[in-house]
Amino acid sequence: MEDEEAKQRRKLEEEEKERDFPSHHPPPPPDELFDISTTVDPSYVISLIRKLLPIDSGSEECDQSNEERHNHHLVDTSNGDPESMDIGGNTHEFTSEEKDKASSCREPEKLSGSSLEEAWEDHGCVLWDLAASRTHAELMVENLILQVLHANLMVSKSTRIREICIGIIGNLACHEGLLKHIESTAGLVNILVGQLFLDDTQCLSEVCRILTTGLYGAGFTFWAECLQSDDILRRILWIAENTLNPHLSEKSVGLLLGIIEGQQEVGQLLIPPLMTLGLTSLLINLLSFEMSKLATERIPERYPVLEIILRAFEALSASDNHSKEICSSKQLFKLVCDLMKLQDKAEVATSCVTAGVLIANMLSETVDFIPEVSQDFSFLEGLFSTLPFASDDLEARRALWTVIARLLARVNESEINRSCLSQYISVLLSSSDVIEDDLLDIQLEESNEESQNSFPSQIKSSARTIAIQKMESILNSWNIREEDLHEESMNGDCSVNKADVKRLSDCCQRYIKSVGGS
């Protein structure tokens, strides 16, 4: 019967095969195992951190010498086969083009005769991947990876090494509690901010991601203070304005959004200088660019950029200090109205809802814009067609109804000509299903809200009530002129259906009665 030591050795060998460990990183002996629930041995993670010590440091030279002897022995025992040294057992080797396109952690490459820098990149990529796991991330921080990465950022001239360092830190920052360790590592945040002046797209994307995470974290004031220099803010604006890379656009504008809609203290510190440096015109230019792209081709990877820009405008339009500058822009108003008039909204539905809220804010501040869209029937139809996409956002739906009410309030149905009245009827009937569904949903929601808050329903949603009352009046006006308008062609290819008019009119009446409590 084999002794206990032999059994333990066999068990470790079986576990090594199951985990597909690389041959030069065998699992540790039993007395060195950590009591952490993970599929990767902590000692393996720690060994990788040691391999990230700056290549030109004295300690690394010593450690590298020992590592070379260790690897040399392994190569000999595997008949010199370099594939036995493959990191993580991955046999796929990226081309240079594939490496440039890879996001987050790129798969490790073979170490066949690779340079020290290439070996560093391979080990760093494994840690980049592992940092996505909270357990591994905490272990890495406990074993001084932040100090090791800081040292590399201080001395390395390799863009790829910098990208990996920043990427690992970015993953670490995503875990609650670890962001504080990044903040407390002396000089690390400042050197991260300094990476904004690199010209590498991947590095810049990762830096913006970390800075945005910091601004949303508990130590937001510390991060804001690190960004308050005009040179740094000007650089952030420059990156957002000049990059053609959708991912970097998303991250850089996302950083601006983190400043704008984040904590009040952050906004007070950073928004005024950003506005002075031209934030409004920058965002308008970016929105114009995204709208031009949307008009010519649908590129899904650009949709998040469009939404972030609109969210930034929405937040600024609701700000006491900056709403006037935003809400008075004719160019911005035209752009968001054009977005609202899109026929196919499904792919950019969230952006259209945000645009609706922004338009409501703008019209409440600048009434001069109302005449420009008061008889824009495609715009009115666009507002109705956006309602279903705001089904889970009560405030957004109220904002859309506010805009609809403002437009319909200008209609004098008893005096407008037949053609104009027919166009209003056409829009209302084409949107009747949306209107009915929305009114049904809103009655249920407000009924629940009323039972919880004990506010009378007639106090709420006055804009929606005004809009519905006006719609009923327009429909009644058409009924009065029925003889003259009967079967008159609308938009060249359809006629008014009396049954549809009655159905929508009845729906409006029911809603008005329910709001009035009669």
Side-chain angles (χ1 to χ4, degrees):
M1 186 173 182
E2 57 185 346
D3 57 23
E4 192 65 29
E5 183 178 353
K7 287 182 180 179
Q8 186 65 38
R9 189 181 302 109
R10 178 175 287 106
K11 181 179 178 181
L12 288 173
E13 289 173 353
E14 290 174 355
E15 289 177 353
E16 178 183 356
K17 291 178 181 178
E18 290 175 358
R19 290 190 297 266
D20 196 24
F21 271 111
S23 59
H24 61 300
H25 289 302
D31 59 334
E32 293 181 17
L33 285 172
F34 290 74
D35 186 21
I36 295 179
S37 177
T38 173
T39 57
V40 179
D41 280 320
S43 60
Y44 172 59
V45 175
I46 295 171
S47 73
L48 291 176
I49 296 174
R50 287 173 55 81
K51 292 178 174 63
L52 293 197
L53 288 169
I55 292 173
D56 58 351
S57 70
S59 60
E60 174 64 9
E61 289 174 1
C62 179
D63 187 64
Q64 186 64 39
S65 175
N66 293 332
E67 182 67 12
E68 285 176 351
R69 287 196 296 271
H70 177 53
N71 286 347
H72 178 71
H73 171 71
L74 288 171
V75 171
D76 287 345
T77 58
S78 60
N79 298 321
D81 182 6
E83 290 194 6
S84 66
M85 300 178 65
D86 183 35
I87 293 289
N90 192 312
T91 57
H92 175 70
E93 186 167 2
F94 281 92
T95 64
S96 60
E97 182 179 358
E98 288 172 326
K99 286 176 67 179
D100 290 337
K101 291 181 180 178
S103 62
S104 294
C105 183
R106 303 171 187 176
E107 294 185 40
E109 297 172 318
K110 298 176 184 179
L111 288 178
S112 51
S114 63
S115 67
L116 296 182
E117 184 174 305
E118 290 171 335
W120 191 104
E121 293 174 8
D122 291 330
H123 303 316
C125 274
V126 175
L127 287 172
W128 191 350
D129 238 355
L130 292 176
S133 161
R134 182 183 182 85
T135 301
H136 298 140
E138 291 176 344
L139 176 68
M140 290 158 66
V141 171
E142 290 172 2
N143 285 275
L144 307 181
I145 191 170
L146 291 174
Q147 288 78 1
V148 172
L149 297 175
H150 184 202
N152 278 282
L153 289 173
M154 290 286 290
V155 302
S156 177
K157 293 180 172 53
S158 165
T159 300
R160 178 61 174 143
I161 286 179
R162 287 178 176 271
E163 178 197 349
I164 294 170
C165 287
I166 302 167
I168 295 172
I169 297 171
N171 279 359
L172 295 174
C174 293
H175 301 291
E176 186 179 356
L178 296 188
L179 190 60
K180 187 174 182 180
H181 288 275
I182 295 173
E183 296 163 358
S184 62
T185 301
L188 181 55
V189 172
N190 282 329
I191 201 169
L192 287 171
V193 171
Q195 307 307 299
L196 286 169
F197 293 90
L198 296 174
D199 291 325
D200 180 76
T201 297
Q202 298 295 333
C203 287
L204 291 173
S205 295
E206 292 300 322
V207 171
C208 289
R209 178 168 74 108
I210 296 172
L211 297 177
T212 304
T213 302
L215 291 174
Y216 282 114
F220 55 84
T221 303
F222 170 72
W223 293 84
E225 290 173 348
C226 291
L227 294 174
Q228 64 182 332
S229 162
D230 277 0
D231 287 341
I232 293 170
L233 295 177
R234 191 178 289 109
R235 176 63 178 179
I236 294 171
L237 294 175
W238 186 91
I239 293 168
E241 185 174 24
N242 288 279
T243 182
L244 297 177
N245 182 279
H247 184 64
L248 180 54
S249 292
E250 179 183 351
K251 296 305 178 185
S252 57
V253 181
L255 175 55
L256 292 171
L257 179 63
I259 294 171
I260 294 168
E261 73 169 13
Q263 297 293 332
Q264 183 178 0
E265 294 88 338
V266 174
Q268 290 174 343
L269 184 64
L270 300 181
I271 294 179
L274 282 172
M275 297 295 279
T276 301
L277 292 170
L279 176 62
T280 302
S281 59
L282 165 69
L283 291 174
I284 290 175
N285 290 339
L286 292 178
L287 180 58
S288 179
F289 177 78
E290 296 302 327
M291 285 298 296
S292 66
K293 285 289 186 182
L294 196 62
T296 56
E297 55 183 331
R298 296 295 178 95
I299 308 174
E301 61 183 338
R302 301 210 69 92
Y303 299 159
V305 183
L306 176 64
E307 169 61 12
I308 292 172
I309 295 169
L310 290 168
R311 283 175 57 190
F313 273 126
E314 181 195 342
L316 288 171
S317 71
S319 166
D320 293 335
N321 296 325
H322 309 292
S323 61
K324 186 173 182 179
E325 180 175 345
I326 298 300
C327 295
S328 62
S329 172
K330 289 185 178 181
Q331 185 181 0
L332 173 59
F333 187 72
K334 182 181 183 306
L335 287 169
V336 290
C337 287
D338 287 344
L339 177 59
M340 192 60 63
K341 289 188 276 189
L342 279 180
Q343 293 294 316
D344 183 9
K345 289 185 170 69
E347 293 178 311
V348 289
T350 305
S351 294
C352 290
V353 172
T354 306
V357 177
L358 175 57
I359 291 169
N361 291 346
M362 296 185 76
L363 292 182
S364 66
E365 182 85 24
T366 311
V367 295
D368 293 345
F369 289 153
I370 297 177
E372 297 183 17
V373 290
S374 61
Q375 291 192 4
D376 189 334
F377 299 105
S378 60
F379 176 65
L380 179 59
E381 189 172 8
L383 291 168
F384 282 121
S385 66
T386 303
L387 281 170
F389 300 116
S391 60
D392 59 348
D393 189 338
L394 187 60
E395 292 304 316
R397 284 157 73 182
R398 288 174 175 170
L400 289 167
W401 277 110
T402 298
V403 180
I404 293 170
R406 286 181 178 275
L407 299 183
L408 295 181
R410 296 182 62 87
V411 179
N412 188 339
E413 58 275 17
S414 63
E415 297 182 3
I416 59 176
N417 59 43
R418 294 178 183 180
S419 174
C420 189
L421 180 58
S422 296
Q423 287 180 293
Y424 277 114
I425 294 294
S426 176
V427 172
L428 295 179
L429 293 185
S430 67
S431 307
S432 60
D433 289 341
V434 169
I435 295 169
E436 291 181 42
D437 289 344
D438 193 80
L439 293 184
L440 179 61
D441 290 344
I442 209 68
Q443 282 178 284
L444 293 174
E445 290 175 9
E446 291 186 342
S447 176
N448 294 333
E449 191 177 348
E450 181 181 350
S451 64
Q452 295 174 6
N453 301 324
S454 68
F455 290 119
S457 59
Q458 56 265 35
I459 293 178
K460 302 171 188 175
S461 308
S462 58
R464 183 185 295 104
T465 303
I466 292 171
I468 299 303
Q469 289 173 335
K470 195 65 177 180
M471 286 165 52
E472 185 195 21
S473 179
I474 293 172
L475 293 166
N476 287 338
S477 179
W478 180 87
N479 284 324
I480 294 172
R481 300 194 205 180
E482 179 182 359
E483 291 299 324
D484 294 332
L485 296 176
H486 185 58
E487 293 185 356
E488 180 177 336
S489 175
M490 294 186 302
N491 297 330
D493 59 358
C494 64
S495 60
V496 175
N497 185 303
K498 293 175 60 175
D500 290 342
V501 173
K502 185 177 187 309
R503 175 186 167 191
L504 182 56
S505 180
D506 290 345
C507 175
C508 293
Q509 290 174 11
R510 286 194 301 271
Y511 178 78
I512 294 169
K513 287 180 181 179
S514 70
V515 172
S518 56

